[in-house]
Amino acid sequence: MLSIVVPCFNEAETIPHFVAAVDAVMTPIAQEIEYIFVDDGSKDQTLTILQELNKQRPQEIHYLSFSRNFGKEAALYAGLKNAKGSVITVMDADLQDPPELLPQMLDMLQNEHLDCVGTRRKNRTGEPPIRSFFSKAFYKIINQFSDTEMIDGVRDFRLMTRQMVDAILEMTEYNRFSKGIFSWVGFKTEYIAYENRERVAGETSWSFWGLFKYSLDGIVNFSEAPLMFASFVGALSCLGAGIALIFIVTRALLFGDPTSGWPSIVSIMLFMGGLQLLCLGIIGKYIGKIFLETKKRPIYLIREQSEVITEVSKDE
Ligand code: UDP
Ligand code: MG
C-alpha cells in the first residue's frame, strides 16, 4: 500500500483538486492508497472538507488536525508517524508536486532497488526573482558549511520505503528541518527533475521573512560553521590587537608619545564591542536551540483525528 502524507495549512480550495488529480493517476494503475491529511491548524474550511472526504471514503482518506499551527515540518512528522503503507510519499496539497510523476517514481523505487525517489525543480519560473536569488544563495552557503548535502531545487515531494521513514521517525528533534533530515538519514536516493508549477489555487503561506528565518534555522540545525566563524574572528582580532600593541609600544619607546588619536581608539572599541555582540548572538542562537530541545516538548498536538487511524493502530 502507498500512503500519501499531505500537510495542509489553509488549503480548503486546493484539497478537492488534489484528491481528484491523485485519484486520476492512481486508479488506472490499481495501486492501493491511503491519504493522510494533516490539518496544521488551518483557519479556513480545511478541516470541514477533510471531515467530509473522510465520511465519503473512510477506508482511504484519513486526517489529523492539530490544536494550532505547528508548521509544515511538524505536520510532515505527524503524517509519517501515522502512515501505514509500505511505501510512503509526502506531497504538498497545492499540486505543485505533480501526481503524474508517482507511477514513474513507484516504478523506479521497485526496479532500481532504491530507498527513495525524490524530485527536483529544473527551474524556478513563476517565482519572484528576489526569492530565487536568496534561495540560490542559501544553498551555496549551506553546502559550504554543512556536511549534510542539500541539492538546490530539491522538493520535499518524495517516495520512500518504510525502512527510510522509520529512520526519519527516529529523529525526534524539536527543531526540524526536513530537507536536512531527509539528506542526513542517507539511503539510496535518485531524483527526477521536472518543470516548476504554480499552485492550483490559494496562496503560498511563506512570507519572505518566514523563508529567511527558515533558512537560518536550516543552517543552525545542520552546521556548526557559524560557531567556528565566531572563534575564528575572535582569534583574528586578538592577533591584530597583539601586533598593534607591539607596534605602539615600540613606537612610544623609540619616538616618545605625542598623544593624539582618541577617535581611532573609540572606533576600535566600538568595532570590538560589535564583534563581541555578534559572536554572542551566534552562540545565543545555538543555546536557544538547545533550550528548546531540552524541554522535550511534543512536536505537535492533535485536537481531532479521523476514527480509522486509531483503529488501525490498535489492530497492530
Ligand atoms: N504548510 C503547512 N503548514 C504551514 C505552512 C505550509 O502544513 O505552516 C503546507 C501547505 O499547506 C502546503 C505545503 O506545506 O501543502 C507547502 O506550502 P506552500 O505551498 O505555501 O509553500 P511553497 O510551495 O510556496 O513553498
Ligand atoms: Mg506550494
Side-chain angles (χ1 to χ4, degrees):
M1 183 171 69
L2 168 67
S3 300
I4 304 174
V5 170
V6 194
C8 306
F9 178 58
N10 296 339
E11 300 283 6
E13 285 175 62
T14 59
I15 290 170
H17 294 286
F18 175 80
V19 175
V22 174
D23 282 344
V25 176
M26 300 317 274
T27 321
I29 61 168
Q31 169 77 45
E32 193 195 346
I33 55 172
E34 68 164 359
Y35 292 90
I36 316 256
F37 286 100
V38 184
D39 165 33
D40 184 12
S42 302
K43 299 210 165 36
D44 64 356
Q45 294 302 305
T46 302
L47 181 58
T48 330
I49 289 184
L50 294 180
Q51 285 164 337
E52 203 55 45
L53 283 168
N54 171 250
K55 227 178 266 164
Q56 288 163 17
R57 298 158 66 181
Q59 296 307 319
E60 289 162 344
I61 302 189
H62 314 305
Y63 67 85
L64 307 163
S65 179
F66 286 176
S67 60
R68 64 168 171 86
N69 180 256
F70 278 86
K72 182 182 174 184
E73 312 292 323
L76 279 181
Y77 181 77
L80 290 177
K81 208 165 172 179
N82 286 280
K84 296 286 172 299
S86 54
V87 227
I88 294 133
T89 180
V90 292
M91 294 177 86
D92 287 359
D94 56 10
L95 285 179
Q96 279 187 311
D97 301 331
E100 307 87 82
L101 292 180
L102 279 173
Q104 189 194 346
M105 290 162 81
L106 279 166
D107 196 60
M108 277 174 75
L109 195 77
Q110 264 141 25
N111 297 330
E112 295 177 25
H113 300 288
L114 300 171
D115 303 296
C116 174
V117 181
T119 57
R120 205 162 57 77
R121 295 195 282 192
K122 272 189 220 158
N123 49 24
R124 292 177 173 272
T125 35
E127 202 179 66
I130 183 135
R131 190 169 155 175
S132 304
F133 173 78
F134 278 101
S135 302
K136 289 213 183 95
F138 165 72
Y139 283 105
K140 275 226 180 80
I141 293 172
I142 195 146
N143 282 322
Q144 278 287 320
F145 284 169
S146 174
D147 298 335
T148 311
E149 195 195 4
M150 290 180 218
I151 304 169
D152 188 4
V154 166
R155 304 272 307 167
D156 285 344
F157 177 30
R158 51 183 59 227
L159 188 74
M160 293 171 281
T161 57
R162 164 86 0 222
Q163 189 190 14
M164 177 158 169
V165 169
D166 286 342
I168 290 169
L169 289 176
E170 267 182 53
M171 299 179 75
T172 51
E173 61 217 64
Y174 183 79
N175 295 292
R176 303 188 74 77
F177 183 71
S178 290
K179 284 184 203 307
I181 290 176
F182 289 144
S183 169
W184 189 90
V185 293
F187 292 99
K188 262 188 105 172
T189 306
E190 291 284 343
Y191 293 96
I192 300 180
Y194 69 95
E195 301 281 329
N196 192 30
R197 312 246 167 130
E198 309 226 357
R199 43 163 58 235
V200 275
E203 267 171 33
T204 174
S205 37
W206 288 98
S207 63
F208 183 77
W209 181 236
L211 273 176
F212 181 70
K213 281 202 295 196
Y214 178 70
S215 53
L216 275 190
D217 276 348
I219 293 173
V220 173
N221 286 342
F222 277 89
S223 158
E224 280 159 23
L227 284 174
M228 292 274 288
F229 167 81
S231 332
F232 179 71
V233 172
L236 206 67
S237 48
C238 261
L239 192 73
I243 292 172
L245 193 74
I246 293 172
F247 172 74
I248 290 165
V249 169
T250 326
R251 195 182 57 176
L253 287 178
L254 292 182
F255 306 107
D257 185 18
T259 314
S260 70
W262 72 266
S264 56
I265 292 184
V266 171
S267 338
I268 292 168
M269 271 171 55
L270 282 179
F271 175 71
M272 293 310 296
L275 211 61
Q276 284 171 356
L277 283 181
L278 171 74
C279 295
L280 264 184
I282 294 175
I283 296 169
K285 185 90 187 136
Y286 282 87
I287 293 180
K289 296 269 168 197
I290 300 169
F291 178 58
L292 276 177
E293 288 299 340
T294 51
K295 288 187 185 186
K296 295 220 182 307
R297 285 188 180 161
I299 296 167
Y300 60 88
L301 291 172
I302 289 179
R303 193 175 85 88
E304 185 185 328
Q305 68 187 92
S306 54
E307 237 43 78
V308 181
I309 291 184
T310 26
E311 269 173 39
V312 173
S313 54
K314 262 185 237 150
D315 288 348
E316 276 189 345

